[in-house]
Amino acid sequence: MSSLEEPLGFDKLPSMNTIDRIQRFSSGACRPREDNVGMGSCWIEERLCSTSNSWNENYKGCGRDTFPWVRHTRDFSQGDMLNRRTLSLGRNHMILENGCDSWYSTEDQYNLKHSDEDKPGITNKYFKGIPNYVKIVEVGPRDGLQNEKNIVPTATKIELIHRLVSCGLPVVEATSFVSPKWVPQLADAKDVMQAVRSLEGAQMPVLTPNLKGFEAAVAAGAKEVAVFASASESFSKSNINCSIEESLARYRAVTRAAKELSIPVRGYVSCVVGCPVEGAIPPSRVAYVAKELYDMGCFEISLGDTIGVGTPGTVVPMLEAVMAFVPVERLAVHFHDTYGQSLPNILVSLQMGIGTVDSSVAGLGGCPYAKGASGNVATEDVVYLLNGLGVKTNVDLAKLIKAGDFISSQLGRPSGSKTAVALSRVTADASKI
């Protein structure tokens, strides 16, 4: 068995008392109140969010219901992490939550701060480091569609972006200005960007591999761009046809040009845990590439487990190495779900203070240069996780699921989101009651 066919660094997994974990998170910890149990019982429970979020604003309340028949919220001050009402469907108990709906100042959007003092009543050490607000960067229109075998119509991509922005997502990566020879699926980048550049409500960065791509993106109306380097020499050569150092030289030219035009640049680092050719990647190499991108002016560095081999045992040391050189508030995580480890990896990243998560609606994605890499973690699943943690996202889960259903139907396959699939079944079952 190769190093990429088994979890890496399992011996480094953080320990946790098994009995405590079972008692705290078992279904027995959630008991419905007698007045809420029964056929067809519905209720709506309003929520006041008084804690400050990453944008240093106070959220006054939640305005939209995730689902018309149930709304639940989390109150940390009650002590019991799972002391919430549940909806009884037969023998199963389900908790559905919705984040708060509020807008924020775009000029503060990259100031991701959090404090344990903002969360009164939290005593559980496993939740103290988690930010109050998490920014979700939706990569479905670009990273999600770039590996599709059949060309997705431009109109479909534009419609998808509109739907995603309407969900409340603060960042939607629109497309990539790469050579159509290498990524034919994104040959319509100019048309897509010109169609959505005036769309309000979200930032819409585009990927630019070099100065030529940057110039084309700006001409099409892009107001934010991203560059991508690799922590693996082999992957760098196969993906962008140059060494790590050569790629960094290219991006210095891009960041200089962007600075002159006051255009923000985001940096990606791929293969931060493992490479399909080289195997395990040393955390020190990831830290080096991340630091170079940060030093050249990238406002945020997204750390990508491109082939999805990471576990918390390998993600933690990688993040520790990077955080020694790049401030945690400038870091994001980007996980593929090849081994089903995305959500555990996201959770441990949140516990370490990461406040930005990349994800793809309906779990779309894959990398044309990383054999075996499955889709990104589904945005619906990330939002469901964050709702369950009481973390604000400003994302309407119901609308998000509809957006995932839309693109999945266009691609002719079911959604890759477990949350979307499960909730569609629950809704169908509830309609029969």
Side-chain angles (χ1 to χ4, degrees), residues 331-346:
L331 295 176
V333 289
H334 182 124
F335 293 111
H336 286 241
D337 207 34
T338 311
Y339 288 80
Q341 297 297 298
S342 289
L343 292 181
N345 289 337
I346 289 172

Side-chain angles (χ1 to χ4, degrees), residues 238-270:
S238 64
N239 188 24
I240 53 179
N241 199 32
C242 66
S243 68
I244 293 175
E245 291 300 329
E246 289 170 339
S247 71
L248 294 174
R250 290 181 185 178
Y251 303 144
R252 289 187 186 96
V254 172
T255 54
R256 283 195 298 268
K259 186 177 181 179
E260 292 177 358
L261 298 174
S262 299
I263 293 178
V265 182
R266 190 179 201 236
Y268 283 95
V269 184
S270 61

Side-chain angles (χ1 to χ4, degrees), residues 64-295:
R64 291 177 296 205
D65 293 330
T66 303
F67 293 92
W69 44 272
V70 62
R71 171 111 179 244
H72 296 285
T73 60
R74 173 187 180 188
D75 186 354
F76 286 120
S77 64
Q78 299 301 316
D80 185 352
M81 299 298 294
L82 292 176
N83 185 22
R84 293 171 287 174
R85 296 182 181 180
T86 60
L87 174 65
S88 179
L89 295 175
R91 296 178 61 185
N92 299 320
H93 301 307
M94 174 156 292
I95 299 172
L96 300 175
E97 304 193 29
N98 187 32
C100 297
D101 298 322
S102 180
W103 199 237
Y104 52 88
S105 172
T106 55
E107 62 190 38
D108 292 329
Q109 66 181 300
Y110 304 125
N111 183 25
L112 294 174
K113 297 181 180 179
H114 60 89
S115 171
D116 296 339
E117 296 177 357
D118 294 333
K119 297 182 178 181
I122 296 184
T123 58
N124 191 310
K125 64 181 180 180
Y126 300 110
F127 292 90
K128 278 191 173 182
I130 297 178
N132 296 304
Y133 172 89
V134 167
K135 179 179 72 176
I136 295 179
V137 176
E138 172 60 53
V139 300
R142 196 277 300 176
D143 197 19
L145 296 179
Q146 69 177 4
N147 205 35
E148 290 295 319
K149 294 181 179 179
N150 299 319
I151 299 298
V152 178
T154 302
T156 299
K157 296 177 183 178
I158 295 170
E159 175 65 18
L160 175 62
I161 293 172
H162 276 265
R163 289 177 180 241
L164 291 170
V165 172
S166 73
C167 296
L169 289 158
V171 184
V172 178
E173 192 177 57
T175 186
S176 177
F177 283 81
V178 296
S179 171
K181 175 183 177 182
W182 300 110
V183 187
Q185 187 61 257
L186 302 180
D188 57 356
K190 178 181 177 181
D191 295 333
V192 170
M193 192 67 243
Q194 288 181 336
V196 302
R197 63 183 178 183
S198 299
L199 189 61
E200 297 182 353
Q203 294 294 107
M204 282 175 285
V206 297
L207 214 59
T208 56
N210 48 41
L211 192 56
K212 181 179 179 181
F214 170 78
E215 292 170 347
V218 172
K223 299 175 183 178
E224 181 178 315
V225 300
V227 296
F228 50 100
S230 177
S232 162
E233 282 288 356
S234 300
F235 189 77
S236 181
K237 291 175 181 177
S238 64
N239 188 24
I240 53 179
N241 199 32
C242 66
S243 68
I244 293 175
E245 291 300 329
E246 289 170 339
S247 71
L248 294 174
R250 290 181 185 178
Y251 303 144
R252 289 187 186 96
V254 172
T255 54
R256 283 195 298 268
K259 186 177 181 179
E260 292 177 358
L261 298 174
S262 299
I263 293 178
V265 182
R266 190 179 201 236
Y268 283 95
V269 184
S270 61
C271 295
V272 297
V273 175
C275 166
V277 178
E278 298 180 15
I281 297 297
S284 59
R285 197 188 302 172
V286 182
Y288 168 75
V289 177
K291 180 180 183 299
E292 290 296 308
L293 290 172
Y294 181 68
D295 288 347

